[in-house]
Amino acid sequence: MLWFLSAIGSALVFGLAGLFMKISQMRSGSAGSLLLGLYTAGTLGFWGQALLNHHWTPLDWRIWIAGAIVGLGSAWGNLLFMKALDYGPASLTSPLTNANILLVIAMGAIWYGEPLQPIAAVGVVCLLFAVLLAIRNEGSYAVKSSRWYGLVLLAMLLFFFRNGGLKVTDALGLDNTNVLWSGYLLSWLWFAVSSRKEASGSRSDAESRSSVRAGSRAEPKAKSRAGADVSAGASPARTGFLWGLVAGVCSYGGLQLYASALGEGPSHLVAPIFATNGLVVALGSVLLYRERLTVLQWGAFAFLMLGLVLVRI
């Protein structure tokens, strides 16, 4: 089935977006600049897709209302996700925020009356179990602060506005590419203003520090050379923006595939498959940063594969 392949592709591609966000954080990239880059690439991607489909409808007021709701869930969900990464590991944060699929599944079954076949139901349970195993805390995966739990819970609820909202807009007959375009554009405007204020504040702080240094005694030459070497490196804003562009391309691709799968397949099957994108982040962290893969996470991947097979049957 085409929807099944689209759902798997959405999980893989969207998972890469989360991994690139983690890489940016590990390289001290600015979170605001990263999200600005993400929504820059995403907005252009969805706009280009709408033009290619000959279905760009910027004058439809329903698109802007739906885009505002979906965009709110996406923008603030990603912002809280990035903040949560400061207090807990990505291998826990990403799968747990994807627990919003429970709400999507419930909405599909109760609101839209989507039937759930017994074998497919077992597959859904396996996929959910894979996500639950992935968020289990073991050894080096300790959470740094209790604030992490609140951030993850809020991010999970906001992501439901994005993922569940796309199901609602599809049922209403709206073109989800246009909805995502408007949502990403509104999010881009938000982070553009936010990044400008952040940059202005950074410049003011830098000027203040320069004034203080100018009135103080000269530093030793060796120390000055060291400072010059540091300033020569890529700034946090530049690092975040570049990785954000890459993440934005994957975010566009993943959500476009997800929207396509929702349009052709049942949400109570598409949503659990899409939610496994968090395991891509976990595996990437293991490969790139040599994080130890726990027995529970190996079990998560096993249940993931079993769940995909059963859902497909």
Side-chain angles (χ1 to χ4, degrees):
M1 297 180 185
L2 184 58
W3 70 263
F4 180 75
L5 296 177
S6 296
I8 292 179
S10 70
L12 294 175
V13 176
F14 197 80
L16 290 176
L19 179 60
F20 291 140
M21 294 169 73
K22 170 64 177 178
I23 292 174
S24 175
Q25 184 212 37
M26 295 298 292
R27 298 192 178 191
S28 302
S30 167
S33 297
L34 179 140
L35 292 172
L36 178 62
L38 187 152
Y39 287 104
T40 298
T43 300
L44 293 174
F46 289 118
W47 179 57
Q49 185 69 41
L51 291 177
L52 288 175
N53 294 340
H54 303 288
H55 203 271
W56 184 46
T57 55
L59 300 181
D60 188 342
W61 60 271
R62 299 175 302 166
I63 292 295
W64 290 101
I65 294 178
I69 297 174
V70 172
L72 174 67
S74 176
W76 281 88
N78 278 322
L79 184 61
L80 294 178
F81 172 75
M82 291 300 298
K83 290 185 178 297
L85 290 179
D86 292 332
Y87 300 100
S91 55
L92 294 177
T93 305
S94 185
L96 186 54
T97 55
N98 282 321
N100 68 82
I101 61 168
L102 296 174
L103 300 176
V104 179
I105 292 173
M107 181 182 69
I110 298 174
W111 194 347
Y112 294 103
E114 296 177 341
L116 188 62
Q117 300 299 324
I119 295 181
V122 175
V124 169
V125 171
C126 289
L127 291 172
L128 293 176
F129 196 49
V131 174
L132 292 176
L133 285 179
I135 66 176
R136 289 294 301 276
N137 192 351
E138 284 192 7
S140 61
Y141 292 90
V143 175
K144 300 176 183 178
S145 170
S146 59
R147 186 177 299 180
W148 176 83
Y149 296 99
L151 290 171
V152 168
L153 177 61
L154 289 175
M156 180 187 70
L157 293 175
L158 286 165
F159 283 144
F160 168 67
F161 280 92
R162 181 194 66 195
N163 298 340
L166 290 175
K167 175 62 181 178
V168 175
T169 53
D170 180 75
L172 292 174
L174 298 178
D175 179 64
N176 273 336
T177 298
N178 277 278
V179 171
L180 287 167
W181 165 76
S182 64
Y184 268 53
L185 178 60
L186 294 173
S187 299
W188 177 85
L189 291 173
W190 171 273
F191 287 113
V193 174
S194 177
S195 296
R196 184 165 184 172
K197 291 181 179 179
E198 181 181 337
S200 299
S202 299
R203 282 196 297 270
S204 298
D205 292 341
E207 290 173 358
S208 299
R209 288 194 297 268
S210 298
S211 299
V212 172
R213 284 197 298 269
S216 62
R217 212 185 323 180
E219 298 286 342
K221 290 184 178 180
K223 192 172 182 179
S224 297
R225 285 195 300 269
D229 291 341
V230 172
S231 62
S235 67
R238 177 181 173 83
T239 299
F241 185 76
L242 292 177
W243 281 107
L245 288 176
V246 180
V249 172
C250 293
S251 179
Y252 150 71
L255 284 178
Q256 185 65 40
L257 288 169
Y258 175 66
S260 175
L262 280 178
E264 300 176 6
S267 61
H268 60 269
L269 299 183
V270 174
I273 297 175
F274 179 73
T276 58
N277 66 76
L279 297 179
V280 176
V281 180
L283 180 59
S285 298
V286 171
L287 296 177
L288 294 178
Y289 301 109
R290 301 183 183 278
E291 292 183 357
R292 182 175 58 87
L293 192 65
T294 66
V295 173
L296 289 179
Q297 287 178 322
W298 277 118
F301 282 108
F303 277 102
L304 166 64
M305 299 306 297
L306 177 60
L308 291 176
V309 171
L310 292 178
V311 168
R312 177 65 179 85
I313 295 175

